[in-house]
């Protein structure tokens, strides 16, 4: 909107998106130019008579660019806000998200005559770029939400594992420690706290734990064989030093 007003010298430009919580309601998301105060908390209900005949509703209904001029319907039928701002013509263009009309961008012009073909072509390109930007923004926000939810789930998962009586060590596909609980550290006589092992490589952990086994070389080969088969193993006893068995 700022580029349209500052670089293009158009008197006003604003953009709005359909809201999720209020059906058939358009909420302002950007504005530049005249009438800043009147646009601060703008929400248009498309069913209102003052809106349903305007350029915004026409764009949302058709999904196509729409130009409206005061000269077409007379000043008495001209949109009140456009009349107050001294505008003679309005050009509305749809904003799309995932193939659906999700909002509009409206440009106002002082002159009563229509926008030129060159101007309309430029504005259509601007609307397409805005739509692509909105797609990327929504996708990024959705990814951020998913990542936050994943982190919250991971924290709950870690809290559960941390309270378990069994020793737990989680190593990811890059062969680095992602989680370790206190029981694991006690089982293998580690002086480090669980959080100090996070990020260590599997080789580093092996070096720290190998001497806790009653037969380090045998257990090392056993672990390598399990990893090579890539299959779960349970109900298996491990002999630890000082006569301990887990």
């Amino acid at each position: 909107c700022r580029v349209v007003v500052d670089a293009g010298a158009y008197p006003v430009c604003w953009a709005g998106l359909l809201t999720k919580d209020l059906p058939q309601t358009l909420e302002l998301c950007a504005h530049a130019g005249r009438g800043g105060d009147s646009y601060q908390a703008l929400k248009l209900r498309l069913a209102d008579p003052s809106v349903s005949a305007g350029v915004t509703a026409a764009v949302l209904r058709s999904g196509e660019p729409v130009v409206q001029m005061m000269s077409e319907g007379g000043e008495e039928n001209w949109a009140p806000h456009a009349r107050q701002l001294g505008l003679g013509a309005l050009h509305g263009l749809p904003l799309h998200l995932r193939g659906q009309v999700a909002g509009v961008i409206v440009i106002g012009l002082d002159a009563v005559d229509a926008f030129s073909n060159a101007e309309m072509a430029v504005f259509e390109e601007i609307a397409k770029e805005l739509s692509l930007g909105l797609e990327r923004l929504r996708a990024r926000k959705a990814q951020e939400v998913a990542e936050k939810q994943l982190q919250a789930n991971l924290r709950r998962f870690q809290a559960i594992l941390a309270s378990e009586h069994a020793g737990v060590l989680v190593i990811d596909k890059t062969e680095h420690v992602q989680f370790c609980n206190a029981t694991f550290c006690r089982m293998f006589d580690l002086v480090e706290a669980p959080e100090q092992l996070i990020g260590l490589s599997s080789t580093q952990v092996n070096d720290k734990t190998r001497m806790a086994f009653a037969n380090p070389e045998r257990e090392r080969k056993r672990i390598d064989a399990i990893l090579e088969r890539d299959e779960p193993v349970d109900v298996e006893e491990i002999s630890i030093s000082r006569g301990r068995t887990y």
Side-chain angles (χ1 to χ4, degrees), residues 48-188:
D48 290 352
S50 61
V51 178
S52 61
V55 65
T56 300
V59 170
L60 294 174
R61 283 194 299 266
S62 66
E64 300 291 338
V66 174
V67 174
Q68 286 188 349
M69 296 174 288
M70 185 177 68
S71 58
E72 292 178 341
E75 186 173 353
E76 67 279 1
N77 295 320
W78 189 230
H81 74 281
R83 185 166 57 248
Q84 292 169 4
L85 297 178
L87 303 175
L90 295 171
H91 188 193
L93 302 104
L95 299 175
H96 292 90
L97 285 173
R98 297 179 180 178
Q100 300 293 321
V101 178
V104 298
I105 179 170
V106 178
I107 300 100
L109 188 65
D110 285 329
V112 177
D113 55 343
F115 293 83
S116 69
N117 290 334
E119 287 175 302
M120 289 191 287
V122 170
F123 289 138
E124 286 186 27
E125 287 302 315
I126 290 176
K128 290 178 182 177
E129 289 298 322
L130 279 175
S131 295
L132 288 174
L134 287 171
E135 289 273 10
R136 296 190 188 102
L137 182 60
R138 290 283 178 91
R140 187 163 63 247
K141 286 185 176 180
Q143 183 178 0
E144 289 173 356
V145 170
E147 288 177 353
K148 287 181 179 179
Q149 185 175 3
L150 177 61
Q151 290 300 321
N153 290 337
L154 181 58
R155 285 193 293 271
R156 286 194 291 270
F157 175 65
Q158 290 176 340
I160 293 171
L161 291 181
S163 63
E164 288 289 310
H165 296 296
V168 179
L169 177 73
V170 178
I171 296 178
D172 63 16
K173 291 183 178 180
T174 67
E175 296 190 1
H176 287 81
V177 177
Q178 293 298 310
F179 177 80
C180 175
N181 69 357
T183 304
F184 180 88
C185 293
R186 288 194 300 270
M187 288 173 60
F188 288 90

Side-chain angles (χ1 to χ4, degrees), residues 5-27:
V5 171
D6 290 348
Y10 292 90
V12 65
C13 177
W14 66 271
L17 295 174
L18 291 169
T19 62
K20 294 181 179 180
D21 52 339
L22 296 173
Q24 293 300 298
T25 299
L26 192 87
E27 186 170 14

Side-chain angles (χ1 to χ4, degrees), residues 15 33 39-40 44 48 62 89 92 146 148 156 185 206 213 218 246:
Y39 284 99
Q40 287 300 316
L44 299 178
D48 290 352
S62 66
K148 287 181 179 179
R156 286 194 291 270
C185 293
N206 288 335
F213 292 110
R218 182 187 66 191
Y246 295 113

